[in-house]
Amino acid sequence: MTDDARSYGDGVAVVTVTYSPGALLDVFLDSLRGATTRTDVPVVLADNGSVDGVPERAARERDHVTFLPIGENVGYGAAANRGVASLPDAYGWVVVANPDLEWGAGSLDTLLDAGRRHPRAGSLGPLIREPSGEVYPSAREVPSLTAGAAHAVLAPVWPGNPWTAAYRRSREDLTERAAGWLSGSCLLLRRTAFDSVDGFDPRYFMYFEDVDLGMRLGLAGWRNVYVPGADVVHVGGASTGKPEVSARMLAEHHRSAYRYLADRHRGPVHAPLRAALRAGLAVRSGLLRRTG
């Protein structure tokens, strides 16, 4: 962390990346009102090319909502970066969240309270539940090459393998604690920390941008703090569940996994390793396409 960080106020704003979010955007915005006692929380809809008209309507009908058209689908991280950059300096806390979340009562205030208790927290994440009520493993360790590759290759054919079990252990550990990275579906970010690592890496169209962010925040001296006292429900599938989108998302997941691992093993000496990673991920992608 540097001493010349830009100075921000104590305001909190929300950035959500939209791509034809449908009716779930109203659930997100309505439930946000109960997540905080603050009455001055603006929401920026960083829009990646919606065609359903829902984000535009939300901005017309709600005074605190701003529609920010990106003009094309630039991916999750790049759009989130633009949304954060659009905010005035009064906002030193920024939530980056998917538009298909339902906020738990008081959840945003709980995250903010934790941020004040942990002055080195660069990102804070809530407990995330599936619609069934099951806890999603949203606070994980940064994967080593061995663990990451074993999880990626074996999980589709051996879900109970020890690497996947360890990778997802946060399903059971519901204590407030530091984590290697937190799910990008709902993050409270200290804006000075986000600035210090130049935000999300825009090379990740979708997936692994949160793993990469958490790792870089840690290397920069910040902490990623899991706050299970705050809870949200991630309905999921508002955009990526569409048949025309899901096939591309599967490909993007494996492309991002390769980029993350390859970035950490660069140079000619690691060329055979990168080739093995690419081949293994291609096998995994093929298995998922056939069984999906």
Side-chain angles (χ1 to χ4, degrees), residues 68-170:
L68 178 66
I70 304 300
E72 59 179 321
N73 192 350
V74 296
Y76 187 81
N81 287 346
R82 296 196 197 182
V84 174
S86 74
L87 294 167
D89 289 355
Y91 300 100
W93 295 99
V94 182
V95 172
V96 174
N98 287 0
D100 52 0
L101 289 179
E102 183 172 1
W103 293 87
S107 52
L108 179 51
D109 283 346
T110 300
L111 288 171
L112 289 164
D113 289 344
R116 297 185 190 96
R117 291 197 310 275
H118 298 279
R120 295 175 67 85
S123 72
L124 302 104
L127 182 150
I128 300 175
R129 294 190 186 276
E130 307 281 5
S132 65
E134 184 177 14
V135 174
Y136 175 76
S138 61
R140 309 183 191 180
E141 294 308 307
V142 173
S144 67
L145 175 63
T146 300
H151 163 65
V153 174
L154 294 176
V157 294
W158 182 17
N161 74 80
W163 297 278
T164 297
Y167 188 56
R168 293 176 171 172
R169 76 178 186 277
S170 65

Side-chain angles (χ1 to χ4, degrees), residues 231-292:
D231 67 281
V232 301
V233 176
H234 188 198
V235 178
S239 299
T240 58
K242 296 180 175 68
E244 67 274 17
V245 176
S246 58
R248 180 183 180 185
M249 291 302 98
L250 178 62
E252 291 294 345
H253 185 277
H254 291 87
R255 186 174 294 116
S256 292
Y258 174 78
R259 173 170 288 121
Y260 177 83
L261 294 169
D263 273 359
R264 283 141 189 88
H265 298 84
R266 299 181 179 182
V269 69
H270 290 126
L273 174 62
R274 293 195 300 273
L277 286 170
R278 190 184 293 275
L281 287 166
V283 169
R284 183 181 193 270
S285 181
L287 285 170
L288 289 175
R289 280 198 302 269
R290 285 195 295 271
T291 60

Side-chain angles (χ1 to χ4, degrees), residues 204-218:
Y204 293 88
F205 182 83
M206 186 169 283
Y207 305 113
F208 277 82
E209 74 284 326
D210 45 9
V211 185
D212 174 79
L213 178 69
M215 188 211 68
R216 289 186 292 113
L217 284 171

